[in-house]
Amino acid sequence: MHSHNGLKTAALLGLLTGIILAVGYWLGGSAGLFIAVLVSLAMNGVSYFFSDKLALRSMRAQPVSEADFPQLYQMVRELSQQAGQPMPRLYVSPTMQPNAFATGRNPQHAAVAVTEGITRILDYRELRAVIGHELSHVYNRDILISSVAGALAGIITMLANLAWFLPIGGDDEDGPNPLALIMMLILGPMAATIIQLAISRSREFQADASGAQLTNDPLALASALKKIHMGVQQMPLPAEGQLASSAHLMIDNPLKGGGLASLFSTHPPMEERVRRLEAMAASSGPIQYMR
């Protein structure tokens, strides 16, 4: 199952890159293709090095010491040692909505953040299970993959928006067919969004499974997810600025959802996540980290 998810993620990232190159070629031939490649590399570089800072800033998360949150430090240290990985930096956000996220391009440059709200509603086992989920995102390289997917999707949308203001085609017989171009400029960003969501949902299921294995407590994570989801629905955050672009990192979508918006959610349905964890608790099966 996990190897299948890894191949699926690689294929979807490749498809996103292919869409960028196609849009670039249609907009400017070989020159457009070259520009698209440069933009793609630049955006991925920014995501690689700065995604952690942007996510932490969006939630106003502040670094905390072991003296501030000894129990949290104990959980993270224990699970990190158990996984044979370095201790990540710890942050706490003053947000009262219960949520948590991990960020950073690899285990050596990782950060785990929890909101003040989540520390108030979860018991020790549940919070430990949430930490296991977030650490699994780090060990599975999910943050890097999601950041790259987000950057690639953003490039496609940017190229499409730019194309509306460029004199493309015109009297040049070799230029793209206007109708085909319009279709691509509409369908390109839509396809990019759908692919990005598919990647995000796949990695969320995977972090649930490998996090439950790390803590050896899938029912605690299932219980935590139920509480978190209820709290998020009661206190949704505004979909604006950096928070909107960082929402996919959270353990549950912090933004107001429901209706048509749920079709474009970065997270799989909570009921399905809980069901899978409860099934995992009922049958012990080997689960391995996906690199």
Side-chain angles (χ1 to χ4, degrees), residues 253-267:
N253 188 353
L255 312 178
K256 188 171 183 179
L260 186 62
S262 63
L263 296 177
F264 294 93
S265 173
T266 54
H267 293 66

Side-chain angles (χ1 to χ4, degrees), residues 116-190:
E116 189 174 333
I118 204 173
T119 64
R120 296 192 178 191
I121 68 167
L122 300 187
D123 63 25
Y124 183 91
R125 273 184 59 208
E126 292 165 340
L127 185 58
R128 180 175 177 273
V130 166
I131 295 299
H133 170 100
E134 298 305 335
L135 289 176
S136 290
H137 271 311
V138 175
Y139 306 153
N140 295 342
R141 305 301 198 275
D142 289 344
I143 296 94
L144 173 60
I145 292 169
S146 297
S147 298
V148 169
L152 292 176
I155 294 167
I156 295 171
T157 303
M158 179 191 69
L159 288 173
N161 290 337
L162 185 63
W164 293 112
F165 302 100
L166 295 177
I168 302 166
D171 298 328
D172 184 4
E173 294 181 358
D174 295 329
N177 178 283
L179 180 59
L181 178 63
I182 290 173
M183 289 295 291
M184 186 178 65
L185 296 183
I186 293 173
L187 296 179
M190 187 180 299

Side-chain angles (χ1 to χ4, degrees), residues 206-259:
Q206 200 166 72
D208 283 344
S210 51
Q213 183 203 28
L214 178 61
T215 60
N216 196 30
D217 202 352
L219 290 181
L221 182 55
S223 176
L225 290 178
K226 291 177 187 176
K227 289 184 179 180
I228 292 168
H229 192 57
M230 185 178 299
V232 166
Q233 289 182 318
Q234 292 173 350
M235 292 179 283
L237 299 178
E240 56 190 25
Q242 292 177 343
L243 180 59
S245 61
S246 300
H248 67 282
L249 295 174
M250 311 293 170
I251 195 168
D252 192 17
N253 188 353
L255 312 178
K256 188 171 183 179

